[in-house]
Amino acid sequence: MRLYLAVFALLAAVHCEELFSGSWKRTWKSGLDFWTHGFSTERPVDIRVPQSSLYAVKDFLKKNNIPFTVMINDVQDLLDKEKAEMVGNAKMERNTKSFNFAAYHDLETLYSFMDTLVASHPNLISKVHIGNSYENRPMYALKFSTGGVSRPAIWVDAGIHSREWVTQASAAWIANKIASDYGVDPSVTSVLGQMDIYLMIVTNPDGYVFTHTNNRMWRKTRSVNSGSSCRGADPNRNWDAGFGGPGASKDPCSESYHGPFANSEVEVKNVVDFITGHGNFKSFISMHSYSQLLMYPYGYTCTDVPDKSELHSVGTAAIEELTSLYNTRYQVGSICKIIYQASGGSIDWTYNIGIKYSFAFELRDTGFYGFLLPANQIIPTAEETWLGLKYIMQYVRNHPY
Amino acid sequence: MASTGDLEPTHYPARRAATVALHYLNTHHGSPFRVFGLQQVHKASAEDVAAGGRKYKLDFSVTDWASGSEGPALRCSADVLFPQTERHSGPEVQLRCEALQQINRTAQEEHAFYQRYISPDSAVSARDIPDSYGNVSEEMQPFWRLARVAASFIMLRESSERTEFNMAQVASVAQQGSSEEQLMLEFVVLLHDFPSQEIIQWKLLASWSPDRGVRVLQTEWQPRCPHATKPPN
């Protein structure tokens, strides 16, 4: 396909009409490709010139005092690059379309899915590296943004407890859904018109890998605890909100071990630093499983938060949207009252630093499969959860503060 | 933090007590083809009891998990007594469920299952039910349900106001030689306690037949290795 090896497109200012009525076209009958027509003496003309005629054309123009500039040095090169990009894009689109959302994937596959998604929506999504895990794995959040500088933002995380596999799997589906719904769904489009969304699909990568390689029921991080053969702290007891209080254990071997001090777990510290550094988050939503609950703060105390009324009604409305799809029953309430008193939780900290719309989901099911939810329930879970999430996001957008 | 008087049905004190009643229901009426799950608590109240301890009154609904989400809900009422903690004995339950006796559609399946595995050379053995991906083979479903019923004996016995147990996984099942025409099964089950988030491992020996139902003959708590890799055999 190398018909035109090096082609110069020339811009020729037309001085004499006669050139174009006669001699020009007569002298080079074939090869010259006029990209603009409708000449007048005032307007420039664009010509694509095949390599073989290049010097002759330049010579002619110089001899006749017709000024020209080279717009594109090598049209073929441009065409080749464009074709390669199109082929690459089509492949990536096939890859995101061929990513099996109805299956559980290992960390590497999820990370490669993120890259594919970003590459196929470069104007909407970017990958933010917020730091590394204890075992030095990167922690990535997907940033959905239509522009602006540090717009008010919504945070969603999944998999802070690694055994809760339906959360990471649902987050992948939701990431793809936001990408494909932007510009199509009025609700998503309006949220992204004013706000950014940050979605962290795997918040505890070390734990996630461990659930694949060693122990499917692993919950915590994988940090080494000095003086103990037990590893890991509960990343949702490690936040600086009532830290070390009731509902967390000081035993490193416990599943709810709070860690030696608040933010001791690098995974937690990375998120804390990111949130405080950004400074403009308006909502923080954390996904867990199982129990089918939507909860708001506090966990560390059963005292109602000042915004309890509003949070309860937002949660109730969000759950109505969720239930409308498959009739999945959810309950709404504060963490402390609905499940248990638990100190050092993420949404307590975020609420206390002023992120009013802080929520935690417990996804499917209610105990039949528990953590081991079959893969054929991933997409229905993600679909219904998305409706609840979307409601909250829309509400947050409509209630700036 | 003990609530007394009327309880919020969606909050955990009512739900924990209802879960205890659920374990009791499964020990009495569960089978390889019937396992109940808690659907909803409608009403609940609690009061202190003269001899120490607390008594809950509950009105709740259950569904038969074996018949999927389409299954009809069964209405139940129960009294659950948590004795004084120093006595370290399990809760006492009194339970009434409507229309329980009418659910006998599983008799045929139970007999077919029994006939298939009671033969002397049957030696079923399997691990990780469900597997990491939530898969349970057709053949293993009745063993999974049997394990849950047997585990309910342990969950019931170990329950207090500070626990909320569920069976997370069957680590292993190994059929033992039949005895007195009972299927004999040794299970290792992983229990999940919600408040502590701990995974607790128990080995147990259970018998079953369509006539005698599930009986748990031996239970043994299994300590977990601190490095928490796969449970020991």
Side-chain angles (χ1 to χ4, degrees):
Chain A
M1 250 260 302
R2 305 293 273 170
L3 281 168
Y4 320 105
L5 277 177
V7 175
F8 277 64
L10 304 181
L11 178 80
V14 177
H15 285 276
C16 312
E17 272 188 44
E18 61 187 287
L19 270 173
F20 290 92
S21 58
S23 58
W24 177 271
K25 282 189 175 160
R26 230 181 313 133
T27 314
W28 291 285
K29 254 198 301 224
S30 63
L32 286 188
D33 179 11
F34 286 79
W35 282 6
T36 53
H37 299 266
F39 311 122
S40 80
T41 49
E42 303 305 313
R43 295 180 50 119
V45 172
D46 298 346
I47 313 166
R48 179 182 56 78
V49 181
Q51 160 117 70
S52 53
S53 312
L54 184 60
Y55 290 108
V57 167
K58 278 173 128 175
D59 214 43
F60 175 88
L61 291 172
K62 280 181 195 151
K63 278 205 179 111
N64 288 277
N65 286 319
I66 302 171
F68 64 88
T69 55
V70 175
M71 292 166 67
I72 304 168
N73 238 315
D74 186 340
V75 172
Q76 185 61 49
D77 188 46
L78 256 193
L79 284 172
D80 288 345
K81 282 193 172 109
E82 187 186 44
K83 172 108 194 242
E85 199 186 308
M86 280 168 59
V87 167
N89 280 345
K91 187 169 164 209
M92 270 177 235
E93 224 187 278
R94 276 198 306 277
N95 283 350
T96 50
K97 280 185 183 138
S98 69
F99 180 85
N100 186 3
F101 293 103
Y104 293 110
H105 299 288
D106 64 16
L107 188 72
E108 198 189 315
T109 311
L110 283 180
Y111 275 18
S112 127
F113 162 75
M114 286 183 219
D115 287 337
T116 307
L117 193 68
V118 169
S120 51
H121 299 89
N123 296 323
L124 180 65
I125 317 177
S126 56
K127 193 170 80 171
V128 183
H129 182 194
I130 70 162
N132 287 351
S133 68
Y134 182 84
E135 290 174 337
N136 232 13
R137 295 185 174 87
M139 291 176 64
Y140 295 125
L142 294 179
K143 176 186 177 185
F144 296 79
S145 179
T146 60
V149 177
S150 207
R151 280 183 175 172
I154 298 168
W155 170 276
V156 181
D157 67 65
I160 195 171
H161 290 136
S162 37
R163 62 190 179 199
E164 299 166 7
W165 277 15
V166 72
T167 67
Q168 300 95 332
S170 295
W173 183 93
I174 288 167
N176 188 62
K177 181 69 171 161
I178 297 174
S180 51
D181 261 15
Y182 175 68
V184 175
D185 175 272
S187 192
V188 174
T189 309
S190 83
V191 169
L192 285 170
Q194 302 206 337
M195 306 185 76
D196 294 340
I197 300 172
Y198 289 83
L199 177 56
M200 176 157 266
I201 297 177
V202 188
T203 311
N204 177 4
D206 295 350
Y208 192 59
V209 170
F210 201 70
T211 59
H212 285 269
T213 58
N214 280 71
N215 182 353
R216 176 61 177 82
M217 295 294 171
W218 190 261
R219 165 183 168 90
K220 301 187 286 181
T221 61
R222 290 292 301 161
S223 56
V224 168
N225 293 310
S226 69
S228 173
S229 56
C230 295
R231 287 178 71 150
D234 185 337
N236 208 28
R237 299 288 184 276
N238 190 245
W239 300 68
D240 196 2
F243 177 82
S249 171
K250 55 185 188 294
D251 176 5
C253 296
S254 164
E255 295 279 21
S256 57
Y257 173 53
H258 47 55
F261 51 87
N263 302 331
S264 64
E265 303 313 286
V266 66
E267 292 82 358
V268 171
K269 180 140 194 356
N270 288 337
V271 178
V272 166
D273 288 348
F274 183 74
I275 300 276
T276 44
H278 182 283
N280 206 17
F281 276 95
K282 299 299 177 189
S283 178
F284 183 97
I285 303 165
S286 192
M287 299 212 289
H288 295 258
S289 75
Y290 56 96
S291 282
Q292 293 172 200
L293 304 168
L294 176 52
M295 298 172 293
Y296 47 82
Y298 289 121
Y300 73 92
T301 168
C302 282
T303 306
D304 284 340
V305 292
D307 300 293
K308 181 241 157 105
S309 216
E310 185 187 5
L311 294 182
H312 193 93
S313 71
V314 173
T316 303
I319 257 31
E320 263 173 51
E321 295 299 309
L322 185 155
T323 304
S324 71
L325 196 56
Y326 296 114
N327 237 7
T328 307
R329 277 171 196 267
Y330 264 66
Q331 312 283 1
V332 184
S334 74
I335 296 174
C336 187
K337 293 183 174 162
I338 283 264
I339 37 171
Y340 40 54
Q341 192 177 13
S343 58
S346 62
I347 73 169
D348 287 359
W349 177 79
T350 57
Y351 182 83
N352 279 348
I353 62 159
I355 302 176
K356 179 164 56 153
Y357 299 113
S358 292
F359 291 95
F361 276 87
E362 291 275 3
L363 304 186
R364 291 196 193 181
D365 60 14
T366 54
F368 187 34
Y369 286 99
F371 299 120
L372 309 177
L373 197 72
N376 63 14
Q377 288 199 44
I378 295 173
I379 293 182
T381 302
E383 287 175 326
E384 67 193 10
T385 305
W386 171 237
L387 295 184
L389 263 180
K390 212 168 38 152
Y391 178 88
I392 297 173
M393 291 187 181
Q394 181 78 317
Y395 185 93
V396 173
R397 180 205 172 273
N398 292 338
H399 295 80
Y401 61 97
Chain B
M1 231 219 73
S3 332
T4 303
D6 282 340
L7 304 177
E8 183 60 53
T10 59
H11 291 180
Y12 72 78
R15 199 180 55 244
R16 286 182 193 175
T19 301
V20 171
L22 175 76
H23 296 321
Y24 179 90
L25 174 63
N26 278 323
T27 60
H28 279 71
H29 294 279
S31 84
F33 294 92
R34 193 199 301 170
V35 166
F36 293 103
L38 184 65
Q39 191 199 59
Q40 203 185 356
V41 180
H42 304 289
K43 277 205 308 271
S45 65
E47 60 183 3
D48 288 332
V49 164
R54 285 168 54 73
K55 184 164 169 191
Y56 287 73
K57 281 180 164 355
L58 304 156
D59 171 12
F60 60 101
S61 291
V62 300
T63 52
D64 180 3
W65 273 340
S67 55
S69 50
E70 326 299 312
L74 231 70
R75 194 70 172 240
C76 298
S77 64
D79 289 354
V80 176
L81 170 66
F82 292 105
Q84 225 168 351
T85 40
E86 299 89 66
R87 281 174 49 200
H88 197 65
S89 59
E92 294 161 30
V93 181
Q94 284 173 359
L95 175 73
R96 297 158 293 280
C97 291
E98 60 173 30
L100 243 187
Q101 306 318 318
Q102 292 168 25
I103 307 176
N104 217 12
R105 348 172 212 95
T106 64
Q108 211 172 358
E109 289 146 297
E110 290 184 22
H111 274 94
F113 175 71
Y114 178 77
Q115 289 308 321
R116 182 169 170 194
Y117 292 104
I118 197 64
S119 84
D121 30 83
S122 173
V124 173
S125 122
R127 295 193 61 87
D128 296 341
I129 306 157
D131 68 14
S132 288
Y133 305 88
N135 300 314
V136 181
S137 69
E138 199 69 44
E139 197 199 350
M140 283 299 126
Q141 302 255 358
F143 293 99
W144 183 35
R145 290 187 281 256
L146 256 181
R148 187 179 280 276
V149 174
S152 298
F153 285 81
I154 301 173
M155 294 192 283
L156 174 63
R157 188 184 70 202
E158 300 295 314
S159 285
S160 74
E161 286 171 283
R162 286 174 314 284
T163 62
E164 195 173 336
F165 287 114
N166 184 42
M167 187 182 81
Q169 189 182 38
V170 180
S172 65
V173 54
Q175 184 173 11
Q176 313 294 297
S178 306
S179 160
E180 295 175 25
E181 298 180 336
Q182 305 298 304
L183 282 188
M184 300 293 282
L185 297 162
E186 185 190 81
F187 291 109
V188 175
V189 296
L190 300 181
L191 305 182
H192 173 228
D193 172 46
F194 218 79
S196 66
Q197 289 293 338
E198 297 295 335
I199 302 288
I200 305 146
Q201 195 167 294
W202 284 86
K203 184 196 283 208
L204 61 105
L205 181 65
S207 70
W208 177 79
S209 70
D211 305 324
R212 267 215 255 165
V214 178
R215 298 211 179 158
V216 172
L217 310 169
Q218 285 168 35
T219 66
E220 185 188 309
W221 173 75
Q222 313 243 278
R224 294 268 279 173
C225 307
H227 25 278
T229 50
K230 284 206 183 298
N233 280 347

